[in-house]
Amino acid sequence: MADNNKECQLIKIEAVVRDEMFIDVKNALADIGVNGITAYQVVGCGIQRGMSEYVRGQKIDVQVLPKIKFEIVVSSEEWEAKTIEAIKKAAFTGHPGDGKIFTSYIKQAIKIRTGETGYDAIQSPNFDD
């Protein structure tokens, strides 16, 4: 196991995007070589404050809209920039509700199966072992 942990600053990227952009964002991340994502179905609203729908002729105000939340952990600011750019490009429609991206530093990452930590914990698995 390499000792990259002292030199590596792990960065978590959280992106909340329109639910219809899931495939586009997932494919954009795969295209740049991101090897691990977690995606959730969530609901929320921002500046658009939901929307109005008609159900059986009655106007209904929907306060929260379906969204997809991606979580990605990367090992450098270079990967952070590449990942953010890929998400922005794939999720952009130019209309309110495109979403938000948040980044934060990760104190620790531990791979449960092997006990690897830091940089080694977020790398693609080597199943030859």
Side-chain angles (χ1 to χ4, degrees):
M1 178 168 42
D3 189 18
N4 296 322
N5 298 329
K6 292 184 177 93
E7 302 167 15
C8 180
Q9 183 69 56
L10 301 178
I11 301 163
K12 181 178 183 180
I13 300 166
E14 296 176 273
V16 180
V17 302
R18 295 172 180 269
D19 63 336
E20 64 267 20
M21 305 310 278
F22 172 72
I23 297 297
D24 293 337
V25 173
K26 181 180 70 75
N27 290 340
L29 293 170
D31 289 346
I32 65 167
V34 170
N35 63 19
I37 64 168
T38 302
Y40 305 89
Q41 292 181 317
V42 297
V43 293
C45 69
I47 196 169
Q48 81 275 20
R49 298 283 185 242
M51 64 181 189
S52 296
E53 289 183 353
Y54 285 90
V55 178
R56 297 184 184 152
Q58 296 290 329
K59 183 178 177 185
I60 305 292
D61 290 328
V62 179
Q63 297 298 313
V64 292
L65 300 172
K67 303 284 185 175
I68 298 292
K69 179 180 179 183
F70 288 92
E71 290 184 357
I72 303 110
V73 177
V74 297
S75 59
S76 69
E77 290 179 358
E78 177 185 344
W79 272 101
E80 177 188 20
K82 287 170 55 172
T83 303
I84 289 171
E85 192 57 37
I87 294 168
K88 284 173 37 182
K89 186 175 179 182
F92 179 81
T93 69
H95 299 286
D98 277 353
K100 299 264 189 320
I101 300 172
F102 306 96
T103 66
S104 57
Y105 290 107
I106 299 294
K107 182 177 177 182
Q108 179 69 280
I110 303 162
K111 187 181 289 186
I112 294 171
R113 181 178 61 87
T114 63
E116 294 169 304
T117 60
Y119 175 83
D120 296 326
I122 67 167
Q123 294 308 296
S124 292
N126 182 357
F127 291 112
D128 295 336
D129 297 343

